mmCIF file of all heavy atoms in Angstrom:
data_model
loop_
_atom_site.group_PDB
_atom_site.id
_atom_site.type_symbol
_atom_site.label_atom_id
_atom_site.label_comp_id
_atom_site.label_asym_id
_atom_site.label_seq_id
_atom_site.Cartn_x
_atom_site.Cartn_y
_atom_site.Cartn_z
ATOM 1 N N ALA A 127 108.523 139.948 100.747
ATOM 2 C CA ALA A 127 107.684 141.046 100.180
ATOM 3 C C ALA A 127 106.744 141.470 101.258
ATOM 4 O O ALA A 127 106.303 140.692 102.186
ATOM 5 C CB ALA A 127 106.876 140.616 98.931
ATOM 6 N N ARG A 128 106.214 142.715 101.181
ATOM 7 C CA ARG A 128 105.178 143.070 102.040
ATOM 8 C C ARG A 128 104.072 143.794 101.194
ATOM 9 O O ARG A 128 104.368 144.401 100.093
ATOM 10 C CB ARG A 128 105.669 144.027 103.162
ATOM 11 C CG ARG A 128 106.152 145.434 102.650
ATOM 12 C CD ARG A 128 106.421 146.292 103.875
ATOM 13 N NE ARG A 128 106.686 147.745 103.468
ATOM 14 C CZ ARG A 128 106.793 148.781 104.292
ATOM 15 N NH1 ARG A 128 106.754 148.503 105.631
ATOM 16 N NH2 ARG A 128 107.066 149.987 103.820
ATOM 17 N N GLY A 129 102.880 143.769 101.701
ATOM 18 C CA GLY A 129 101.741 144.395 101.076
ATOM 19 C C GLY A 129 100.628 144.672 102.067
ATOM 20 O O GLY A 129 100.530 144.016 103.125
ATOM 21 N N ARG A 130 99.699 145.475 101.697
ATOM 22 C CA ARG A 130 98.546 145.776 102.549
ATOM 23 C C ARG A 130 97.397 144.853 102.237
ATOM 24 O O ARG A 130 96.990 144.756 101.000
ATOM 25 C CB ARG A 130 98.110 147.236 102.284
ATOM 26 C CG ARG A 130 96.936 147.659 103.211
ATOM 27 C CD ARG A 130 96.470 149.009 102.902
ATOM 28 N NE ARG A 130 95.252 149.330 103.685
ATOM 29 C CZ ARG A 130 94.025 149.022 103.352
ATOM 30 N NH1 ARG A 130 93.769 148.286 102.284
ATOM 31 N NH2 ARG A 130 93.007 149.363 104.171
ATOM 32 N N LEU A 131 96.868 144.063 103.181
ATOM 33 C CA LEU A 131 95.699 143.290 103.020
ATOM 34 C C LEU A 131 94.417 144.156 102.873
ATOM 35 O O LEU A 131 94.147 144.999 103.745
ATOM 36 C CB LEU A 131 95.558 142.343 104.250
ATOM 37 C CG LEU A 131 94.342 141.352 104.162
ATOM 38 C CD1 LEU A 131 94.478 140.382 102.916
ATOM 39 C CD2 LEU A 131 94.137 140.575 105.398
ATOM 40 N N SER A 132 93.707 144.037 101.768
ATOM 41 C CA SER A 132 92.575 144.910 101.463
ATOM 42 C C SER A 132 91.606 144.817 102.609
ATOM 43 O O SER A 132 91.508 143.715 103.280
ATOM 44 C CB SER A 132 91.989 144.535 100.137
ATOM 45 O OG SER A 132 91.478 143.194 100.168
ATOM 46 N N ASP A 133 90.715 145.764 102.716
ATOM 47 C CA ASP A 133 89.787 145.708 103.839
ATOM 48 C C ASP A 133 88.767 144.556 103.749
ATOM 49 O O ASP A 133 88.284 144.136 104.755
ATOM 50 C CB ASP A 133 88.959 147.122 103.762
ATOM 51 C CG ASP A 133 89.796 148.266 104.181
ATOM 52 O OD1 ASP A 133 90.835 148.086 104.741
ATOM 53 O OD2 ASP A 133 89.339 149.350 103.833
ATOM 54 N N ASP A 134 88.498 144.102 102.492
ATOM 55 C CA ASP A 134 87.651 142.960 102.420
ATOM 56 C C ASP A 134 88.427 141.590 102.394
ATOM 57 O O ASP A 134 87.806 140.513 102.234
ATOM 58 C CB ASP A 134 86.766 143.025 101.141
ATOM 59 C CG ASP A 134 87.589 143.053 99.856
ATOM 60 O OD1 ASP A 134 88.854 142.901 99.881
ATOM 61 O OD2 ASP A 134 87.023 143.276 98.800
ATOM 62 N N GLY A 135 89.665 141.703 102.536
ATOM 63 C CA GLY A 135 90.518 140.492 102.689
ATOM 64 C C GLY A 135 90.649 139.642 101.452
ATOM 65 O O GLY A 135 91.170 138.535 101.535
ATOM 66 N N THR A 136 90.380 140.305 100.192
ATOM 67 C CA THR A 136 90.504 139.443 99.080
ATOM 68 C C THR A 136 91.824 139.680 98.203
ATOM 69 O O THR A 136 92.083 138.953 97.277
ATOM 70 C CB THR A 136 89.348 139.842 98.082
ATOM 71 O OG1 THR A 136 89.393 141.184 97.777
ATOM 72 C CG2 THR A 136 87.974 139.535 98.766
ATOM 73 N N ALA A 137 92.662 140.657 98.624
ATOM 74 C CA ALA A 137 93.800 141.089 97.842
ATOM 75 C C ALA A 137 94.937 141.646 98.653
ATOM 76 O O ALA A 137 94.636 142.231 99.741
ATOM 77 C CB ALA A 137 93.367 142.028 96.662
ATOM 78 N N LEU A 138 96.136 141.523 98.127
ATOM 79 C CA LEU A 138 97.240 142.274 98.711
ATOM 80 C C LEU A 138 97.502 143.484 97.792
ATOM 81 O O LEU A 138 97.586 143.312 96.560
ATOM 82 C CB LEU A 138 98.511 141.450 98.824
ATOM 83 C CG LEU A 138 98.684 140.550 100.001
ATOM 84 C CD1 LEU A 138 100.129 139.903 99.994
ATOM 85 C CD2 LEU A 138 98.455 141.208 101.305
ATOM 86 N N GLU A 139 97.645 144.559 98.393
ATOM 87 C CA GLU A 139 97.822 145.794 97.605
ATOM 88 C C GLU A 139 99.163 146.462 97.912
ATOM 89 O O GLU A 139 99.746 146.266 98.949
ATOM 90 C CB GLU A 139 96.677 146.927 97.902
ATOM 91 C CG GLU A 139 95.279 146.361 97.740
ATOM 92 C CD GLU A 139 94.166 147.147 98.225
ATOM 93 O OE1 GLU A 139 94.493 148.015 99.152
ATOM 94 O OE2 GLU A 139 93.005 146.956 97.911
ATOM 95 N N ASP A 140 99.702 147.292 96.876
ATOM 96 C CA ASP A 140 100.999 147.909 97.031
ATOM 97 C C ASP A 140 102.135 146.967 97.491
ATOM 98 O O ASP A 140 102.859 147.257 98.433
ATOM 99 C CB ASP A 140 100.793 149.140 98.122
ATOM 100 C CG ASP A 140 99.715 150.059 97.769
ATOM 101 O OD1 ASP A 140 99.577 150.396 96.571
ATOM 102 O OD2 ASP A 140 99.019 150.499 98.599
ATOM 103 N N VAL A 141 102.144 145.847 96.813
ATOM 104 C CA VAL A 141 103.130 144.838 97.228
ATOM 105 C C VAL A 141 104.589 145.278 96.763
ATOM 106 O O VAL A 141 104.670 145.747 95.567
ATOM 107 C CB VAL A 141 102.801 143.482 96.541
ATOM 108 C CG1 VAL A 141 103.936 142.488 96.745
ATOM 109 C CG2 VAL A 141 101.453 143.008 97.073
ATOM 110 N N GLN A 142 105.520 145.128 97.619
ATOM 111 C CA GLN A 142 106.919 145.560 97.418
ATOM 112 C C GLN A 142 107.902 144.493 97.964
ATOM 113 O O GLN A 142 107.650 143.926 99.010
ATOM 114 C CB GLN A 142 107.246 146.864 97.983
ATOM 115 C CG GLN A 142 106.457 148.121 97.632
ATOM 116 C CD GLN A 142 106.839 149.306 98.391
ATOM 117 O OE1 GLN A 142 106.844 149.287 99.699
ATOM 118 N NE2 GLN A 142 107.064 150.419 97.761
ATOM 119 N N VAL A 143 108.829 144.122 97.196
ATOM 120 C CA VAL A 143 109.870 143.215 97.691
ATOM 121 C C VAL A 143 110.874 144.004 98.493
ATOM 122 O O VAL A 143 111.421 145.006 98.044
ATOM 123 C CB VAL A 143 110.637 142.506 96.535
ATOM 124 C CG1 VAL A 143 111.776 141.670 97.056
ATOM 125 C CG2 VAL A 143 109.623 141.529 95.743
ATOM 126 N N VAL A 144 110.978 143.709 99.703
ATOM 127 C CA VAL A 144 111.900 144.496 100.674
ATOM 128 C C VAL A 144 113.226 143.817 100.926
ATOM 129 O O VAL A 144 114.143 144.392 101.562
ATOM 130 C CB VAL A 144 111.157 144.746 102.002
ATOM 131 C CG1 VAL A 144 109.940 145.637 101.728
ATOM 132 C CG2 VAL A 144 110.804 143.492 102.793
ATOM 133 N N PHE A 145 113.436 142.563 100.510
ATOM 134 C CA PHE A 145 114.665 141.823 100.703
ATOM 135 C C PHE A 145 114.831 140.730 99.632
ATOM 136 O O PHE A 145 113.881 140.079 99.375
ATOM 137 C CB PHE A 145 114.846 141.245 102.089
ATOM 138 C CG PHE A 145 116.030 140.365 102.241
ATOM 139 C CD1 PHE A 145 117.252 140.995 102.522
ATOM 140 C CD2 PHE A 145 116.021 138.991 102.086
ATOM 141 C CE1 PHE A 145 118.452 140.210 102.662
ATOM 142 C CE2 PHE A 145 117.114 138.207 102.251
ATOM 143 C CZ PHE A 145 118.364 138.855 102.501
ATOM 144 N N ARG A 146 116.001 140.562 99.075
ATOM 145 C CA ARG A 146 116.389 139.455 98.165
ATOM 146 C C ARG A 146 117.648 138.878 98.659
ATOM 147 O O ARG A 146 118.645 139.594 98.750
ATOM 148 C CB ARG A 146 116.510 140.000 96.677
ATOM 149 C CG ARG A 146 115.197 140.352 96.065
ATOM 150 C CD ARG A 146 115.319 140.746 94.625
ATOM 151 N NE ARG A 146 114.044 140.652 93.891
ATOM 152 C CZ ARG A 146 113.381 141.888 93.678
ATOM 153 N NH1 ARG A 146 113.914 143.016 94.120
ATOM 154 N NH2 ARG A 146 112.186 141.840 93.042
ATOM 155 N N GLN A 147 117.665 137.546 98.941
ATOM 156 C CA GLN A 147 118.915 136.820 99.163
ATOM 157 C C GLN A 147 119.777 136.792 97.899
ATOM 158 O O GLN A 147 119.362 136.535 96.809
ATOM 159 C CB GLN A 147 118.501 135.398 99.566
ATOM 160 C CG GLN A 147 119.727 134.547 99.941
ATOM 161 C CD GLN A 147 119.360 133.101 100.114
ATOM 162 O OE1 GLN A 147 118.484 132.572 99.449
ATOM 163 N NE2 GLN A 147 119.904 132.491 101.119
ATOM 164 N N GLU A 148 121.029 137.126 98.177
ATOM 165 C CA GLU A 148 122.056 137.118 97.074
ATOM 166 C C GLU A 148 123.191 136.268 97.606
ATOM 167 O O GLU A 148 123.579 136.220 98.746
ATOM 168 C CB GLU A 148 122.605 138.565 96.850
ATOM 169 C CG GLU A 148 121.489 139.527 96.346
ATOM 170 C CD GLU A 148 120.913 139.162 94.952
ATOM 171 O OE1 GLU A 148 121.588 138.313 94.342
ATOM 172 O OE2 GLU A 148 119.931 139.765 94.592
ATOM 173 N N PRO A 149 123.786 135.450 96.555
ATOM 174 C CA PRO A 149 123.340 135.456 95.191
ATOM 175 C C PRO A 149 122.246 134.541 94.799
ATOM 176 O O PRO A 149 121.880 133.679 95.695
ATOM 177 C CB PRO A 149 124.658 134.882 94.593
ATOM 178 C CG PRO A 149 125.149 133.992 95.552
ATOM 179 C CD PRO A 149 124.893 134.639 96.916
ATOM 180 N N SER A 150 121.670 134.689 93.750
ATOM 181 C CA SER A 150 120.695 133.683 93.195
ATOM 182 C C SER A 150 121.367 132.459 92.838
ATOM 183 O O SER A 150 122.516 132.393 92.682
ATOM 184 C CB SER A 150 120.010 134.314 91.994
ATOM 185 O OG SER A 150 119.328 135.552 92.227
ATOM 186 N N TYR A 151 120.532 131.454 92.620
ATOM 187 C CA TYR A 151 121.103 130.122 92.322
ATOM 188 C C TYR A 151 120.048 129.255 91.571
ATOM 189 O O TYR A 151 118.860 129.482 91.869
ATOM 190 C CB TYR A 151 121.661 129.384 93.574
ATOM 191 C CG TYR A 151 122.104 127.971 93.392
ATOM 192 C CD1 TYR A 151 123.350 127.821 92.734
ATOM 193 C CD2 TYR A 151 121.525 126.915 93.932
ATOM 194 C CE1 TYR A 151 123.923 126.594 92.583
ATOM 195 C CE2 TYR A 151 121.989 125.660 93.732
ATOM 196 C CZ TYR A 151 123.139 125.428 93.093
ATOM 197 O OH TYR A 151 123.729 124.232 92.886
ATOM 198 N N LYS A 152 120.535 128.411 90.810
ATOM 199 C CA LYS A 152 119.536 127.452 90.170
ATOM 200 C C LYS A 152 119.452 126.168 90.928
ATOM 201 O O LYS A 152 120.304 125.256 90.820
ATOM 202 C CB LYS A 152 120.067 127.118 88.714
ATOM 203 C CG LYS A 152 119.051 126.326 87.870
ATOM 204 C CD LYS A 152 119.577 126.050 86.467
ATOM 205 C CE LYS A 152 118.591 125.368 85.537
ATOM 206 N NZ LYS A 152 119.018 125.203 84.241
ATOM 207 N N GLY A 153 118.335 126.090 91.660
ATOM 208 C CA GLY A 153 118.146 124.904 92.568
ATOM 209 C C GLY A 153 116.790 124.974 93.194
ATOM 210 O O GLY A 153 116.164 125.949 93.085
ATOM 211 N N THR A 154 116.498 123.862 93.914
ATOM 212 C CA THR A 154 115.140 123.759 94.560
ATOM 213 C C THR A 154 115.182 123.427 96.045
ATOM 214 O O THR A 154 114.283 123.031 96.624
ATOM 215 C CB THR A 154 114.371 122.766 93.817
ATOM 216 O OG1 THR A 154 114.944 121.460 93.888
ATOM 217 C CG2 THR A 154 114.107 123.065 92.311
ATOM 218 N N GLN A 155 116.347 123.658 96.634
ATOM 219 C CA GLN A 155 116.543 123.204 97.990
ATOM 220 C C GLN A 155 116.998 124.365 98.936
ATOM 221 O O GLN A 155 117.623 125.282 98.474
ATOM 222 C CB GLN A 155 117.546 122.003 98.099
ATOM 223 C CG GLN A 155 116.986 120.747 97.505
ATOM 224 C CD GLN A 155 117.977 119.642 97.647
ATOM 225 O OE1 GLN A 155 119.105 119.708 97.115
ATOM 226 N NE2 GLN A 155 117.657 118.534 98.349
ATOM 227 N N HIS A 156 116.715 124.192 100.197
ATOM 228 C CA HIS A 156 117.231 124.971 101.337
ATOM 229 C C HIS A 156 117.045 126.569 101.081
ATOM 230 O O HIS A 156 118.011 127.276 100.993
ATOM 231 C CB HIS A 156 118.695 124.741 101.569
ATOM 232 C CG HIS A 156 118.943 123.302 101.993
ATOM 233 N ND1 HIS A 156 120.220 122.902 102.465
ATOM 234 C CD2 HIS A 156 118.235 122.186 101.971
ATOM 235 C CE1 HIS A 156 120.234 121.627 102.744
ATOM 236 N NE2 HIS A 156 118.964 121.165 102.422
ATOM 237 N N PHE A 157 115.772 126.952 101.101
ATOM 238 C CA PHE A 157 115.444 128.335 100.981
ATOM 239 C C PHE A 157 115.288 128.945 102.453
ATOM 240 O O PHE A 157 115.118 130.186 102.534
ATOM 241 C CB PHE A 157 114.135 128.474 100.252
ATOM 242 C CG PHE A 157 114.160 128.100 98.830
ATOM 243 C CD1 PHE A 157 113.959 126.808 98.342
ATOM 244 C CD2 PHE A 157 114.590 129.032 97.871
ATOM 245 C CE1 PHE A 157 113.959 126.479 96.983
ATOM 246 C CE2 PHE A 157 114.760 128.704 96.476
ATOM 247 C CZ PHE A 157 114.431 127.440 96.119
ATOM 248 N N GLY A 158 115.225 128.168 103.517
ATOM 249 C CA GLY A 158 114.845 128.646 104.795
ATOM 250 C C GLY A 158 113.326 128.486 104.732
ATOM 251 O O GLY A 158 112.752 127.458 104.360
ATOM 252 N N SER A 159 112.422 129.313 105.203
ATOM 253 C CA SER A 159 112.721 130.633 105.798
ATOM 254 C C SER A 159 111.572 131.090 106.726
ATOM 255 O O SER A 159 110.469 130.841 106.523
ATOM 256 C CB SER A 159 112.984 131.723 104.692
ATOM 257 O OG SER A 159 111.722 132.170 104.356
ATOM 258 N N ARG A 160 111.969 131.499 107.892
ATOM 259 C CA ARG A 160 110.962 132.034 108.840
ATOM 260 C C ARG A 160 111.200 133.514 109.107
ATOM 261 O O ARG A 160 112.259 134.051 108.869
ATOM 262 C CB ARG A 160 111.107 131.293 110.187
ATOM 263 C CG ARG A 160 110.676 129.835 110.172
ATOM 264 C CD ARG A 160 109.239 129.606 109.860
ATOM 265 N NE ARG A 160 108.873 128.245 109.721
ATOM 266 C CZ ARG A 160 107.623 127.778 109.439
ATOM 267 N NH1 ARG A 160 106.601 128.563 109.346
ATOM 268 N NH2 ARG A 160 107.401 126.480 109.345
ATOM 269 N N LEU A 161 110.006 134.189 109.359
ATOM 270 C CA LEU A 161 110.009 135.643 109.562
ATOM 271 C C LEU A 161 109.639 135.910 110.990
ATOM 272 O O LEU A 161 108.547 135.369 111.428
ATOM 273 C CB LEU A 161 108.986 136.291 108.557
ATOM 274 C CG LEU A 161 109.128 136.000 107.086
ATOM 275 C CD1 LEU A 161 107.904 136.678 106.400
ATOM 276 C CD2 LEU A 161 110.505 136.617 106.610
#
Side-chain angles (χ1 to χ4, degrees):
R128 70 173 188 170
R130 181 186 177 276
L131 183 65
S132 63
D133 292 340
D134 62 6
T136 63
L138 277 189
E139 302 168 342
D140 303 320
V141 174
Q142 299 174 312
V143 174
V144 297
F145 173 81
R146 287 185 169 96
Q147 180 187 38
E148 296 294 347
S150 303
Y151 178 68
K152 187 176 182 179
T154 62
Q155 293 181 295
H156 295 195
F157 294 93
S159 76
R160 292 290 174 183
L161 304 174

